[in-house]
Amino acid sequence: MELGNILVTGATGRVGRLLVSTLLQAGQSVSILTRAPQAARELWPGQEVAVRVGDLTDPPSLESVCSGIDTLFHLASYAPRPDEPDLYNAPNHWPVTAEGTANLMAQVAGSSVKRLIYISTVKAMGDAAGELGRPADETLIPAPDTLYGRAKLAAEQRVLAIGETTGIQASILRLPMVYGLDNKGNLARLIAAIAARRFPPWPRHDNSRSAVQIEDAVAAAILVARNPASAGQVYCVTDGRAYSTRWIYERILLALDRPIPRWTVPLWALRAVAAGGSIGERLLGRRLPLTLDGLSKLTGDAWYSSAKLEKMLGFRPKQSLETEIPRLVQSVRREWLD
């Protein structure tokens, strides 16, 4: 199916940038919605990207942003500062992500938009969704336990409601941890910490976590946009594998040409340090390296299935952490040398 004129929100984020570049390379007509037009234009030098200026939290600024648009990829949401404490409960998630999406959907209604794809997160399902002893899927009733997750779920509901009332092909993609972000993101930070010997010998704890490579996430978004069968559907998108933190830790050491330690830090000791970190984070008002919330993400399960997307639309992920970790380690090393 032809996508026609495309509008991308959240285009300056990592996933958004690659989505725009991929669409441009395919010869698509792409516009972006941004609050900072000059900075946005510099992200795609020499390429034809139309800029529409607007702010999701300012409804009047969104008037006519969907004019002449056939396909809308909505990626915009609140991005906490790197040092912001308790980033999943940052107050701005609601006005930007939930209310901002509602403001945008008010413009979509009655517009020329025919296809609407919202890039959400597995956090909309709640952390407990990934702790079932099996991969969670879209049949699970969402129970988000963070403000971030609740805001994303509210945004999802707005998008699906617009599809139901207008007949627009509205679809949701829920992403787990995204990798392939060059030297950005959680995986790059973990590699940097291990390389600098600031990460302890990790306990042999068999948790299961899902992830997806950025190019596969973008391919899934375009696949969903092109397929009318995706109307009204919610899809989890993963690389089809489950990873433990211990497995990731060992693969990073191997890529760094370092031996795997014969000893590990016991989990109870990590919990004690993390408890102190949580207290310190509240007192100092900034993020600390290890908190109870951070430890729960490193030791807990976040396991999801993309079988629905694979069966319905033929999605086939091409990447995995098996190849990503060595590539990223080399990238981090080059950054140190520079």
Side-chain angles (χ1 to χ4, degrees), residues 74-98:
H74 179 30
L75 287 75
S77 63
Y78 177 65
R81 303 185 318 272
D83 64 339
E84 194 163 353
D86 198 8
L87 71 168
Y88 288 112
N89 286 300
N92 283 335
H93 283 303
W94 193 262
V96 176
T97 301

Side-chain angles (χ1 to χ4, degrees), residues 51-63:
V51 175
R52 301 187 179 198
V53 181
D55 185 333
L56 292 182
T57 64
D58 179 17
S61 75
L62 299 176
E63 291 181 6

Side-chain angles (χ1 to χ4, degrees), residues 168-190:
I168 291 172
Q169 177 189 320
S171 314
I172 310 294
L173 272 70
R174 291 174 176 162
L175 306 185
M177 180 188 79
V178 178
Y179 59 90
L181 308 177
D182 294 326
N183 295 341
K184 305 294 183 182
N186 292 338
L187 184 59
R189 284 191 287 271
L190 179 60

Side-chain angles (χ1 to χ4, degrees), residues 23-101:
L23 292 169
L24 289 171
Q25 289 168 9
Q28 297 287 344
S29 173
V30 183
S31 300
I32 65 170
L33 176 66
T34 180
R35 296 173 298 170
Q38 188 55 45
R41 287 189 181 95
E42 295 173 357
L43 295 175
W44 302 277
Q47 294 180 293
E48 292 293 328
V49 179
V51 175
R52 301 187 179 198
V53 181
D55 185 333
L56 292 182
T57 64
D58 179 17
S61 75
L62 299 176
E63 291 181 6
S64 302
V65 295
C66 295
S67 177
I69 296 299
D70 300 295
T71 301
L72 171 58
F73 290 95
H74 179 30
L75 287 75
S77 63
Y78 177 65
R81 303 185 318 272
D83 64 339
E84 194 163 353
D86 198 8
L87 71 168
Y88 288 112
N89 286 300
N92 283 335
H93 283 303
W94 193 262
V96 176
T97 301
E99 295 176 2
T101 296

Side-chain angles (χ1 to χ4, degrees), residues 237-254:
V237 188
T238 79
D239 65 10
R241 304 193 182 193
Y243 305 99
S244 72
T245 304
R246 175 69 189 191
W247 183 91
I248 294 172
Y249 169 72
E250 290 185 356
R251 287 300 185 281
I252 292 171
L253 285 176
L254 292 173

Side-chain angles (χ1 to χ4, degrees), residues 230-280:
S230 69
Q233 299 296 323
V234 177
Y235 302 101
C236 292
V237 188
T238 79
D239 65 10
R241 304 193 182 193
Y243 305 99
S244 72
T245 304
R246 175 69 189 191
W247 183 91
I248 294 172
Y249 169 72
E250 290 185 356
R251 287 300 185 281
I252 292 171
L253 285 176
L254 292 173
L256 289 166
D257 299 319
R258 290 185 187 170
I260 297 171
R262 296 181 180 180
W263 63 281
T264 65
V265 175
L267 198 50
W268 63 263
L270 291 171
R271 288 196 182 102
V273 174
S278 293
I279 294 171

Side-chain angles (χ1 to χ4, degrees), residues 320-332:
S320 76
L321 285 180
E322 192 86 45
T323 53
E324 173 66 15
I325 288 174
R327 186 201 67 79
L328 187 53
V329 165
Q330 292 305 314
S331 178
V332 170

